[in-house]
Short mmCIF file of all heavy atoms in Angstrom, two decimals:
data_model
loop_
_atom_site.label_atom_id
_atom_site.label_comp_id
_atom_site.label_asym_id
_atom_site.label_seq_id
_atom_site.Cartn_x
_atom_site.Cartn_y
_atom_site.Cartn_z
N MET A 57 18.30 34.45 10.41
CA MET A 57 18.94 33.47 11.28
C MET A 57 18.01 32.30 11.51
O MET A 57 16.79 32.46 11.57
CB MET A 57 19.29 34.11 12.63
CG MET A 57 19.98 33.20 13.62
SD MET A 57 21.59 32.57 13.11
CE MET A 57 22.54 34.08 13.00
N ASN A 58 18.58 31.12 11.63
CA ASN A 58 17.85 29.91 11.99
C ASN A 58 18.57 29.26 13.16
O ASN A 58 19.80 29.18 13.15
CB ASN A 58 17.79 28.92 10.82
CG ASN A 58 17.03 29.49 9.65
OD1 ASN A 58 15.85 29.74 9.75
ND2 ASN A 58 17.72 29.73 8.54
N LYS A 59 17.82 28.82 14.14
CA LYS A 59 18.37 28.15 15.31
C LYS A 59 17.60 26.85 15.53
O LYS A 59 16.68 26.80 16.35
CB LYS A 59 18.29 29.05 16.53
CG LYS A 59 19.11 30.32 16.41
CD LYS A 59 18.95 31.20 17.64
CE LYS A 59 19.72 32.50 17.47
NZ LYS A 59 19.52 33.40 18.61
N PRO A 60 17.96 25.79 14.78
CA PRO A 60 17.24 24.52 14.92
C PRO A 60 17.34 23.97 16.34
O PRO A 60 18.38 24.08 16.99
CB PRO A 60 17.96 23.59 13.93
CG PRO A 60 18.68 24.49 13.00
CD PRO A 60 19.02 25.71 13.78
N LYS A 61 16.22 23.39 16.79
CA LYS A 61 16.16 22.81 18.13
C LYS A 61 15.36 21.52 18.07
O LYS A 61 14.62 21.26 17.12
CB LYS A 61 15.46 23.76 19.10
CG LYS A 61 16.20 25.02 19.41
CD LYS A 61 15.44 25.83 20.45
CE LYS A 61 16.21 27.07 20.84
NZ LYS A 61 15.56 27.78 21.95
N ALA A 62 15.49 20.74 19.13
CA ALA A 62 14.69 19.53 19.28
C ALA A 62 14.49 19.28 20.76
O ALA A 62 15.23 19.81 21.60
CB ALA A 62 15.39 18.33 18.64
N SER A 63 13.49 18.48 21.07
CA SER A 63 13.30 18.02 22.44
C SER A 63 12.70 16.63 22.40
O SER A 63 12.06 16.25 21.42
CB SER A 63 12.43 18.98 23.25
OG SER A 63 11.10 18.96 22.77
N VAL A 64 12.92 15.88 23.46
CA VAL A 64 12.37 14.53 23.56
C VAL A 64 11.88 14.34 24.99
O VAL A 64 12.53 14.76 25.94
CB VAL A 64 13.41 13.45 23.17
CG1 VAL A 64 14.67 13.54 24.01
CG2 VAL A 64 12.81 12.06 23.26
N THR A 65 10.70 13.75 25.11
CA THR A 65 10.13 13.42 26.41
C THR A 65 10.01 11.91 26.50
O THR A 65 9.56 11.26 25.55
CB THR A 65 8.75 14.08 26.59
OG1 THR A 65 8.92 15.50 26.49
CG2 THR A 65 8.14 13.75 27.94
N SER A 66 10.42 11.37 27.64
CA SER A 66 10.45 9.93 27.82
C SER A 66 10.07 9.54 29.24
O SER A 66 10.30 10.31 30.19
CB SER A 66 11.87 9.41 27.52
OG SER A 66 12.02 8.06 27.91
N GLY A 67 9.55 8.35 29.38
CA GLY A 67 9.29 7.79 30.69
C GLY A 67 10.56 7.21 31.30
O GLY A 67 10.61 6.93 32.50
N ASP A 68 11.60 7.02 30.49
CA ASP A 68 12.89 6.54 30.98
C ASP A 68 13.68 7.74 31.52
O ASP A 68 14.58 8.26 30.87
CB ASP A 68 13.65 5.83 29.86
CG ASP A 68 14.93 5.16 30.35
OD1 ASP A 68 15.29 5.31 31.54
OD2 ASP A 68 15.59 4.50 29.52
N VAL A 69 13.28 8.16 32.69
CA VAL A 69 13.82 9.37 33.31
C VAL A 69 15.34 9.31 33.45
O VAL A 69 16.05 10.27 33.14
CB VAL A 69 13.13 9.62 34.67
CG1 VAL A 69 13.80 10.75 35.43
CG2 VAL A 69 11.65 9.89 34.46
N ALA A 70 15.86 8.19 33.91
CA ALA A 70 17.30 8.07 34.16
C ALA A 70 18.13 8.28 32.90
O ALA A 70 19.19 8.90 32.95
CB ALA A 70 17.62 6.72 34.79
N ALA A 71 17.64 7.79 31.76
CA ALA A 71 18.40 7.94 30.52
C ALA A 71 18.57 9.40 30.13
O ALA A 71 19.66 9.83 29.74
CB ALA A 71 17.71 7.18 29.38
N LEU A 72 17.51 10.19 30.26
CA LEU A 72 17.60 11.60 29.87
C LEU A 72 18.34 12.43 30.91
O LEU A 72 19.12 13.32 30.56
CB LEU A 72 16.20 12.18 29.62
CG LEU A 72 15.43 11.57 28.45
CD1 LEU A 72 14.15 12.35 28.21
CD2 LEU A 72 16.26 11.51 27.20
N MET A 73 18.11 12.16 32.19
CA MET A 73 18.79 12.94 33.24
C MET A 73 20.29 12.67 33.27
O MET A 73 21.05 13.48 33.77
CB MET A 73 18.16 12.65 34.60
CG MET A 73 16.70 13.10 34.72
SD MET A 73 16.41 14.84 34.34
CE MET A 73 17.19 15.61 35.76
N ALA A 74 20.74 11.55 32.69
CA ALA A 74 22.16 11.22 32.66
C ALA A 74 22.92 11.98 31.57
O ALA A 74 24.15 11.97 31.55
CB ALA A 74 22.33 9.72 32.46
#
Side-chain angles (χ1 to χ4, degrees):
M57 181 62 64
N58 296 295
K59 297 178 183 177
K61 292 183 177 186
S63 68
V64 57
T65 300
S66 169
D68 187 356
V69 172
L72 295 187
M73 295 305 290

